[in-house]
Amino acid sequence: MRAGFPDFRLGSVLATSFTGTLSERRGNAVERIPTPHRLVDWLAVNGLAVDSCTTAQLDLARELRESIHAAATAAAIQDALPASAVQVINDRSAQGRAAAILTPEGKRRWRLSSASRVEDALSVIAADAISIIAGERDGKLALCASPTCRAAFFDTSQSRTRKWCDMNTCGNRQKKARFNANQRKNPRLSATG
């Protein structure tokens, strides 16, 4: 990882993890892929290593990220999918050259074209977004309960009632805020507890 940048928020679902490269969307937004090199880092961490990235390719990636976020948000609240977002997702899915391969351990991995272009990696992310938005995978799209975050995430918990995109950040922050508010309301509890 390159020093001086915020950590990546990694999840088990590629498309929603990608949308998490911009966090705190309704607060003080944190851009986690501010440079082309940082996108290269994120792709490598997620098994989609590319040789290089230009500023134009970073712009394509951010456009895809925002389109996935818009479509996933609409799907989570059972609203109509934005046509412009659907178009971007479909275009990115069709423009890449990547193949699913099976590893000896029985896992699916992606093999990008021999040139390892950013567009190939984006096509994999777009295809992943299509599979979750279309309801092809076992889980449910939801929105983070944090009022400053509201990230779309894919809930694969057994009960499908997860509230936070990431318990270690948004969940803990909200629990701490609730605890502190309760302490201010009833200071005697902390003195006797």
Side-chain angles (χ1 to χ4, degrees):
M1 292 305 140
R2 299 181 196 281
F5 291 112
D7 290 337
F8 294 135
R9 295 170 102 180
L10 302 175
S12 60
V13 178
L14 183 63
T16 53
S17 292
F18 187 57
T19 65
T21 61
L22 179 65
S23 58
E24 296 301 310
R25 291 170 179 270
R26 294 192 177 174
N28 293 323
V30 177
E31 176 62 72
R32 295 172 190 278
I33 54 169
T35 65
H37 283 51
R38 193 65 174 153
L39 176 59
V40 169
D41 290 343
W42 188 90
L43 292 170
V45 166
N46 285 279
L48 298 169
V50 297
D51 296 330
S52 63
C53 178
T54 65
T55 302
Q57 289 171 318
L58 177 61
D59 291 343
L60 289 175
R62 288 180 178 161
E63 180 185 37
L64 175 62
R65 174 185 69 192
E66 296 312 303
S67 296
I68 293 170
H69 179 71
T73 297
I77 61 173
Q78 299 178 348
D79 205 355
L81 300 179
S84 59
V86 169
Q87 186 65 50
V88 169
I89 294 167
N90 289 339
D91 287 349
R92 294 299 168 273
S93 179
Q95 290 172 353
R97 294 182 309 244
I101 59 169
L102 186 63
T103 68
E105 300 78 31
K107 303 280 185 189
R108 180 185 72 177
R109 296 282 179 247
W110 289 97
R111 179 179 296 152
L112 305 182
S113 70
S114 60
S116 296
R117 302 175 320 134
V118 168
E119 290 82 358
D120 299 334
L122 297 180
S123 75
V124 173
I125 297 167
D128 191 60
I130 290 167
S131 74
I132 62 171
I133 294 168
E136 295 175 348
R137 298 203 353 227
D138 189 25
K140 175 183 106 173
L141 277 164
L143 297 178
C144 182
S146 168
T148 61
C149 179
R150 301 301 287 162
F153 66 92
F154 196 63
D155 183 2
T156 58
S157 68
Q158 189 170 13
S159 64
R160 306 289 194 263
T161 57
R162 208 172 102 201
K163 293 175 64 172
W164 317 109
C165 66
D166 183 24
M167 190 60 211
N168 292 326
T169 54
C170 291
N172 282 340
R173 188 179 313 127
Q174 291 302 309
K175 285 183 174 190
K176 183 178 179 180
R178 245 187 343 263
F179 175 80
N180 289 336
N182 287 337
Q183 293 302 304
R184 285 190 299 273
K185 285 181 188 174
N186 196 346
R188 287 185 293 146
L189 284 179
S190 62
T192 61

